[in-house]
Amino acid sequence: MSATAEPALLDRLESILGVGGLLTAATDMAPFLTDQRGLYHGNAIAVALPDTAARVAAVLAVCNAERVAVIPQGGNTGYCGGATPDESGGQLLVSLKRLNRIRAVDALNYSLTAEAGCILTDVQRAAEEANRFFPLSLGSQGTCQIGGNLATNAGGVHVLRYGMMRDLVLGLEVALADGRLLGTLTTLRKDNTGYDIKSLFLGAEGTLGIITAASMKLFPRMVGAATAFVAVPDPHAAVQLLARLREASGECVSSFELMPRLAVELTVRHIPAVRDPLDAAHAWYVLCELTSARAADDLDTTLIECLEQARGTGLVVDAAIARNASERASMWKLRESIPEAQRRDGASLKHDVSIPVAAIAQFIERAGAWVRANVPDGRLVAYGHVGDGNLHFNLNQAPGADRATFLARGEAVKRAIHDLVVREFDGSFSAEHGIGRLKVGELERYAQPVELELMRAIKRVFDPHGILNPGKVLR
Ligand code: FAD
Ligand code: 2HG
Ligand code: ZN
């Protein structure tokens, strides 16, 4: 776009977006231009704040005609720089934060329709008010938006039982690159009418269209929960314990999160009010939770009996059972604070990988041995959604280590870990955080050529002029 075209473009955008709908002052735009990890710092022509789907579509029509790149942004909590514009200053950032109405909650149909800018906790609350349950749950849920959750196909701590965001979607409304609005906001459970176009936008990270609203599945509200913080001898025992708990509870296991001792030490040290639920130190822990919609279910008894049996066979070393809601919340606070504790502790190298659940222990052994031999200034904090085979295989800078020297190892560590994951464990180098800008090269390295060819062909169909989040997912 030429410099002379800019004022005319801004005028047109302003007339579409109305009062308060366009930010152009540097100080107003600043919070939108850096990703939450501080990896990327971008620039923008302006920040658009549309408050209706029609306005999102109209903005896209103008940008498509003028060949102006558009960067969609939700809560800006993503891990891969997908919502940050480039440094050129020639891209338009579109924040969905004002498109934030819950359009419908249908308790009988077990469905909810929300606009893309709704904060995840607001959607959870709206479901609860109708005596229903929306299961997506992430550490960032007070900030991330439904549109971002859909665009990244978010995972979180309930995937084991309810699946990822993709599994919770019934219908979508999407503004296409050329300004048309695709309205497939159905709440049907069954709809086999040709290609499932909506599924292409899930996990596409804003490269195929801007999601403006979604209809999603609800579930019966959980009225009972049993939560335990369990010390296990090793990850192998953790995976065996998960299998036993699933058998014993009849699929009531909704969360099963693994963490090493260091994760507990870091959260206790850096996060106020976090405490270790157990008296002695142990090598590995699992935070597990059973939930049920039936008030009569005695989940505590099921959990305690299963843990006692497991202790008898050496799978469990010790356990604390939450006696009330406040103890449950404090166990979850420990788990959800691990990313923040890692950040406060110093530099970290992150790998969001997945492998078959049964191979988790073997993977941690192999990859852990590589780290010990090759990264003397790093400490391993491998934790995560082990019930889904998803590990955040993260390394933190060791105390006293030089930050720059440690970070300079990033490429070599990433290569070793991702090669091991993909080539020897049939796993994925991006389990739940997506590709964004950070992992474009990794996708090129590990995807099959035919997959990449198809992805590029799909991109050309939806966005022939390449205005939608260019440089993200695909180069
Ligand atoms: P953003 O970061 O704003 O955007 C993410 C991507 O989606 C970008 O490419 C953006 O362009 C695109 N996008 C945003 N809105 C739209 C839209 N309406 N239409 C089209 N494209 C759009 N993630 C997990 O999966 N599991 C976790 O357990 C988890 N825990 C986290 C814990 C913490 C403390 C933090 C900070 C993050 C965590 N995340 C987790 C990552 C992040 O919260 C998720 O990826 C979330 O889904 C991003 O939502 P967002 O609204 O912040 O999106
Ligand atoms: C979590 O599970 C998030 O806590 C963050 O996905 C993971 O910081 C990370 O590596
Ligand atoms: Zn996670």
Side-chain angles (χ1 to χ4, degrees):
M1 197 189 64
S2 73
T4 49
E6 201 168 305
L9 175 80
L10 292 178
D11 285 348
R12 286 171 72 191
L13 292 174
E14 213 152 26
S15 73
I16 291 168
L17 292 161
V19 180
L22 194 70
L23 308 177
T24 50
T27 45
D28 292 339
M29 294 200 291
F32 299 88
L33 301 180
T34 298
D35 73 304
Q36 57 97 0
R37 289 179 67 185
L39 296 179
Y40 301 104
H41 305 282
N43 236 314
I45 313 170
V47 172
L49 298 163
D51 57 358
T52 65
R55 281 180 159 156
V56 176
V59 166
L60 284 179
V62 168
C63 290
N64 198 43
E66 298 294 335
R67 309 289 191 261
V68 174
V70 172
I71 314 304
Q73 187 176 98
N76 199 16
T77 66
Y79 265 94
C80 302
T84 309
D86 70 13
E87 296 74 16
S88 69
Q91 302 187 322
L92 178 73
L93 191 137
V94 176
S95 164
L96 281 303
K97 66 188 281 189
R98 294 207 306 166
L99 190 64
N100 61 358
R101 282 162 290 256
I102 304 280
R103 290 196 193 159
V105 184
D106 187 340
L108 195 58
N109 197 48
Y110 280 81
S111 63
L112 177 152
T113 303
E115 292 181 343
C118 288
I119 303 283
L120 176 54
T121 43
D122 291 339
V123 171
Q124 294 167 345
R125 196 172 309 116
E128 225 170 279
E129 282 164 8
N131 199 31
R132 296 290 178 260
F133 177 59
F134 182 66
L136 190 76
S137 176
L138 326 174
S140 55
Q141 61 195 18
T143 312
C144 65
Q145 299 174 7
I146 280 296
N149 301 149
L150 295 155
T152 57
N153 184 26
V157 296
H158 290 150
V159 173
L160 172 62
R161 179 132 159 225
Y162 298 96
M164 296 184 75
M165 188 68 208
R166 178 188 299 283
D167 302 298
L168 304 173
V169 175
L170 296 169
L172 284 187
E173 179 186 82
V174 184
L176 300 177
D178 61 9
R180 282 177 296 168
L181 206 55
L182 175 72
T184 54
L185 264 184
T186 172
T187 56
L188 298 172
R189 307 281 154 159
K190 289 189 161 184
D191 182 19
N192 276 348
T193 47
Y195 301 146
D196 184 10
I197 303 290
K198 74 170 183 308
S199 71
L200 288 171
F201 300 101
L202 305 169
E205 302 177 54
T207 61
L208 299 180
I210 300 189
I211 299 166
T212 51
S215 43
M216 294 161 287
K217 294 178 193 167
L218 298 180
F219 296 82
R221 194 164 70 86
M222 295 299 136
V223 293
T227 311
F229 193 77
V230 185
V232 292
D234 51 38
H236 180 65
V239 171
Q240 293 206 21
L241 177 64
L242 170 62
R244 288 210 188 170
L245 260 181
R246 292 182 75 168
E247 284 163 18
S249 73
E251 289 294 354
C252 282
V253 187
S254 46
S255 298
F256 198 86
E257 300 282 314
L258 178 75
M259 68 195 86
R261 176 68 198 160
L262 186 52
V264 175
E265 284 175 9
L266 294 182
T267 47
V268 169
R269 183 174 320 141
H270 295 294
I271 310 293
V274 168
R275 60 167 206 89
D276 184 345
L278 295 170
D279 295 331
H282 301 280
W284 289 93
Y285 304 88
V286 160
L287 173 58
C288 59
E289 188 159 271
L290 310 184
T291 51
S292 171
R294 283 186 304 219
D297 278 356
D298 187 357
L299 296 175
D300 270 333
T301 302
T302 309
L303 182 59
I304 290 166
E305 280 176 1
C306 189
L307 292 175
E308 269 167 5
Q309 269 179 13
R311 197 207 279 257
T313 56
L315 293 182
V316 163
V317 186
D318 197 3
I321 314 284
R323 284 169 299 187
N324 49 45
S326 123
E327 288 188 2
R328 174 169 302 117
S330 98
M331 289 177 185
W332 274 109
K333 179 155 172 84
L334 189 162
R335 162 61 185 92
E336 298 292 22
S337 303
I338 301 173
E340 179 58 19
Q342 275 205 291
R343 199 182 61 76
R344 293 189 192 182
D345 198 60
S348 53
L349 302 172
K350 291 179 180 263
H351 312 89
D352 166 37
V353 303
S354 65
I355 46 215
V357 177
I360 287 266
Q362 205 196 345
F363 172 76
I364 293 178
E365 255 162 51
R366 292 271 307 274
W370 188 91
V371 167
R372 283 190 294 281
N374 293 282
V375 194
D377 49 357
R379 299 198 292 174
L380 189 56
V381 193
Y383 71 97
H385 322 289
V386 74
D388 317 321
N390 179 190
L391 277 180
H392 299 304
F393 194 85
N394 297 346
L395 277 73
N396 255 58
Q397 169 190 358
D402 177 61
R403 184 184 177 93
T405 312
F406 171 70
L407 286 176
R409 298 184 193 279
E411 280 302 310
V413 177
K414 177 178 80 180
R415 189 55 53 239
I417 300 307
H418 287 175
D419 275 358
L420 187 66
V421 164
V422 177
R423 304 209 160 130
E424 296 192 42
F425 283 83
D426 281 333
S428 168
F429 66 89
S430 180
E432 62 171 4
H433 294 158
I435 302 294
R437 190 159 155 187
L438 186 67
K439 295 184 187 165
V440 172
E442 299 302 281
L443 185 65
E444 286 171 352
R445 179 183 176 91
Y446 296 113
Q448 295 172 42
V450 63
E451 265 183 299
L452 280 174
E453 219 174 274
L454 289 171
M455 285 191 209
R456 293 195 175 112
I458 289 168
K459 171 75 175 167
R460 280 195 295 275
V461 169
F462 281 87
D463 183 20
H465 302 304
I467 65 152
L468 285 170
N469 221 356
K472 316 290 169 57
V473 184
L474 298 170
R475 236 185 278 261

